[in-house]
Amino acid sequence: ATAGRLLPPGERLRDKAFEYCQRLIEQSNRRPLKKEDGDLQKACLIEAVTIMDIICKQDSSYVCRAVSFLKVLHSRICGDATYARALLPIAQFFLNHSKLAAVDSDAIYKHLLTDIPAQLFHNPSLAFEFVQFCKDNSQLLTDSSSIFRQSFPNLFKFLAWNSPPLISEFVDLLPFLLDPGTTIEIFHLLLDLPCLTAALDIQQSTGITGNGTAALSWPEVDFSPLCQLCQHSKALWGIGKGNWEQTFNSHFSFAHSLVPLRQLLGSLAGSPRVVQCAESVPVLLELFFRVVAEFADESLINQLVVLLLQRSDQLYEIPAFKEDVVLGSQLAMLCRLRPALVVELSTEILEFSGAVSNIQSKEAIFTHMVWAIGEYLSVSYDKRCTVEQITRFFETLEAVLFEITQLRPQASTPSCAPRAISVLMATLTKLAARSQDLIPRVSMFLSKMRTFVQSPAVTSVYCEEDLEEILIRATELMNLLKMPSVAQFVFTPPVASTQFQRDVNDSLPLALRMVTQLLEPAPGSMPV
């Protein structure tokens, strides 16, 4: 009764339910006699907090009473890992009501997002509930606190240990974790996710301590880089602050020795858990670049391109993983977004594309990079593009193509993908069409390709179809260069802005064949 009258039924039910939940929560600190009693006690605690949250949604007058009560509860149970699941409804309550109550809940979010994943990533049921909680509250967490985005290294520990069951949740979660301040570090983390799985596996099996020593016997191994990887729990680069590369290198000794770390983890490359984690990476990488493309500025795109060139062969030694992580298409996408990067990153791109070793170790991304040079190194895309720059790129790629096609006695022919040879020829032709003093040099080179493809040393390495394709492309390009004005039009189109211009770009192989037919008509045919 209130003021001499009974409350309406709905209000009375809420009032009694709230009091009953308080009583249950107060009694939850009693020591259980049996383990089953303890499990029931925790389940009742979770249910009581959830009901209090529902009551406060229905009637905001209960919020202030509940806030002070639940803060005391959080302080009591936050140090006990067995109560981890109960922290989720408490955090949910504060996400829903802390703004109304005007209380700072960062300490609650910080403990939840930092300590719990680091300690209990191996608990599958908690992992699912935790990630589901983050997914369901992504916008609230992002708006309420910067801690959510900064804690993404810890959240990925759940995925590293529990994929593929959590992959669909992370597909929904990843866009909320990405922003200009977290992009670079998340990129590294995605590429090294199988390494993290292996590191967590070793941590679990050996009991690595904070100083990098192992509780169980292990051959003479320095575990400190491994320990750093496992304990990495929050973003290293504050949003908009400092230089990420310097910060990352100063915190992680393995940043300068990625290969030794992967060698340390090499014995686990075939582990089912590691392999399953590796299978989730390509899906997340594709999503990563799709999301980043929506907000990345010039500086961020340039950083990503440089990292793609560096990291394309720095992957965990899982054959299927290295085949599935195709970074070349991502490079092409970034170049389409910002063609000017070919000029701005000319030093890094020349260094990368001028190394013959990259054709074999990084063939996919090398081919896409060379294609991008031919496509975007043009004044049509960037007014800063000069004849001197075109010549510098031409001479670098000319030397590479010469090296891989040069027939020398008593020397083995470098083996590289036929596609790389074709793309190199096409790019040299495009550059020559934009700086016509280079046409005689590339024409002479193309004319020698017949000798190359007919050499016994070459025919023993490549199949007949590949050699025929190389020769056809060399002939088509050489014929096109016989008409410099046509070559300039075909290879230096204006930035595509009409359907006609897009069609010209899309049908370039057809254009090459038409020119060849004009210059070399079939026997008995009449010129058109």
Side-chain angles (χ1 to χ4, degrees):
T2 302
R5 65 179 180 85
L6 288 175
L7 292 170
E11 293 181 27
R12 185 169 53 178
L13 176 62
R14 277 194 292 269
D15 195 57
K16 294 301 179 185
F18 191 87
E19 290 179 6
Y20 184 64
C21 289
Q22 281 184 304
R23 193 175 303 118
L24 276 176
I25 293 171
E26 288 168 350
Q27 292 175 351
S28 68
N29 64 350
R30 296 181 180 179
R31 185 182 297 252
L33 297 177
K34 298 181 295 185
K35 181 183 182 300
E36 292 78 7
D37 292 342
D39 294 338
L40 180 61
Q41 198 177 54
K42 293 178 178 65
C44 290
L45 176 62
I46 291 169
E47 194 68 17
V49 175
T50 303
I51 292 172
M52 290 180 79
D53 185 24
I54 294 171
I55 292 171
C56 289
K57 286 180 181 177
Q58 295 179 354
D59 187 342
S60 59
S61 65
Y62 288 91
V63 169
C64 290
R65 290 163 58 190
V67 163
S68 57
F69 189 77
L70 292 181
K71 279 213 165 190
V72 173
L73 172 63
H74 182 270
S75 300
R76 176 164 64 83
I77 68 173
C78 66
D80 188 344
T82 64
Y83 281 91
R85 289 183 62 220
L87 297 175
L88 293 174
I90 295 175
Q92 183 70 68
F93 175 89
F94 281 97
L95 279 173
N96 293 338
H97 306 291
S98 60
K99 190 172 183 180
L100 177 64
V103 295
D104 183 5
S105 307
D106 270 3
I108 291 173
Y109 307 143
K110 183 176 181 180
H111 176 263
L112 180 72
L113 293 166
T114 304
D115 297 342
I116 301 305
Q119 298 170 14
L120 300 170
F121 61 86
H122 50 81
N123 184 322
S125 60
L126 175 65
F128 179 80
E129 290 184 33
F130 198 105
V131 175
Q132 188 71 38
F133 164 82
C134 292
K135 188 188 86 167
D136 292 343
N137 294 282
S138 297
Q139 194 63 58
L140 271 175
L141 285 165
T142 304
D143 295 341
S144 301
S145 174
S146 63
I147 295 169
F148 177 55
R149 278 194 174 129
Q150 292 175 5
S151 300
F152 69 81
N154 255 348
L155 297 179
F156 273 95
K157 289 175 186 175
F158 281 130
L159 179 63
W161 193 261
N162 300 282
S163 56
L166 293 181
I167 182 63
S168 61
E169 279 69 30
F170 265 84
V171 166
D172 294 329
L173 191 58
L174 183 60
F176 290 94
L177 298 174
L178 285 166
D179 71 1
T182 62
T183 294
I184 298 300
E185 195 173 348
I186 288 180
F187 173 68
H188 280 289
L189 184 53
L190 285 174
L191 291 183
D192 287 328
L193 200 60
C195 282
L196 177 58
T197 305
L200 294 173
D201 198 342
I202 292 179
Q203 181 191 43
Q204 284 295 100
S205 61
T206 62
I208 300 174
T209 62
N211 60 9
T213 61
L216 302 180
S217 61
W218 192 273
E220 297 290 326
V221 172
D222 177 15
F223 277 99
S224 54
L226 197 61
C227 184
Q228 288 174 319
L229 180 61
C230 293
Q231 292 184 335
H232 182 29
S233 62
K234 62 181 294 187
L236 298 174
W237 190 38
I239 297 174
K241 297 177 182 177
N243 180 283
W244 183 89
E245 293 286 351
Q246 294 176 1
T247 308
F248 187 82
N249 290 343
S250 67
H251 277 71
F252 287 95
S253 58
F254 67 82
H256 297 289
S257 56
L258 287 166
V259 173
L261 177 63
R262 295 193 190 96
Q263 288 174 349
L264 173 62
L265 302 172
S267 62
L268 289 172
S271 161
R273 191 183 298 277
V274 172
V275 171
Q276 285 184 332
C277 174
E279 290 171 351
S280 69
V281 172
V283 175
L284 293 173
L285 273 176
E286 183 180 349
L287 174 63
F288 169 89
F289 281 100
R290 194 162 65 243
V291 174
V292 169
E294 297 176 1
F295 63 76
D297 61 8
E298 299 175 359
S299 174
L300 185 55
I301 290 176
N302 285 6
Q303 287 183 69
L304 282 171
V305 168
V306 173
L307 287 174
L308 282 168
L309 299 181
Q310 294 172 351
R311 289 297 315 265
S312 57
D313 68 338
Q314 295 177 359
L315 300 172
Y316 199 12
E317 290 295 330
I318 305 172
F321 176 60
K322 299 186 81 169
E323 290 175 8
D324 292 341
V325 176
V326 182
L327 297 176
S329 59
Q330 313 297 352
L331 175 70
M333 181 270 289
L334 293 174
C335 291
R336 279 194 296 272
L337 275 179
R338 194 158 185 280
L341 67 84
V342 177
V343 172
E344 293 174 355
L345 299 177
S346 59
T347 301
E348 294 85 349
I349 293 173
L350 279 167
E351 181 181 352
F352 176 83
S353 57
V356 176
S357 59
N358 286 336
I359 301 180
Q360 295 173 327
S361 63
K362 306 179 180 181
E363 188 271 328
I365 200 164
F366 178 88
T367 304
H368 280 86
M369 188 71 261
V370 172
W371 171 85
I373 293 169
E375 191 71 11
Y376 301 118
L377 188 65
S378 167
V379 70
S380 300
Y381 288 103
D382 193 329
K383 300 299 183 185
R384 296 171 294 179
C385 179
T386 63
V387 172
E388 290 74 16
Q389 282 180 321
I390 291 174
T391 302
R392 192 151 50 104
F393 273 93
F394 180 93
E395 291 175 345
T396 298
L397 297 181
E398 181 187 42
V400 171
L401 186 56
F402 178 82
E403 178 67 21
I404 63 177
T405 59
Q406 176 68 8
L407 300 174
R408 291 165 294 187
Q410 310 301 322
S412 59
T413 303
S415 176
C416 63
R419 184 178 66 153
I421 296 176
S422 294
V423 173
L424 277 165
M425 292 190 302
T427 295
L428 287 172
T429 305
K430 291 177 183 179
L431 297 181
R434 295 165 200 161
S435 179
Q436 296 191 0
D437 291 343
L438 301 172
I439 288 179
R441 288 168 62 173
V442 72
S443 295
M444 184 184 303
F445 202 109
L446 293 171
S447 68
K448 295 179 180 180
M449 291 306 294
R450 182 174 295 277
T451 304
F452 170 74
V453 300
Q454 292 176 346
S455 165
V458 174
T459 55
S460 64
V461 176
Y462 300 105
C463 69
E464 185 177 345
E465 291 79 9
D466 288 340
L467 293 176
E468 183 180 0
E469 186 63 33
I470 291 173
L471 184 58
I472 289 173
R473 179 49 58 93
T475 304
E476 292 173 343
L477 293 170
M478 187 167 56
N479 285 335
L480 190 59
L481 287 175
K482 291 176 182 177
M483 299 182 289
S485 58
V486 176
Q488 187 174 28
F489 171 77
V490 172
F491 286 132
T492 314
V495 178
S497 58
T498 68
Q499 184 62 46
F500 170 74
Q501 292 164 343
R502 286 193 291 271
D503 290 343
V504 168
N505 288 332
D506 294 340
S507 61
L508 183 56
L510 176 61
L512 289 173
R513 286 195 295 273
M514 290 176 63
V515 171
T516 298
Q517 289 171 3
L518 286 171
L519 294 173
E520 298 180 1
S525 64
M526 295 294 292
V528 179

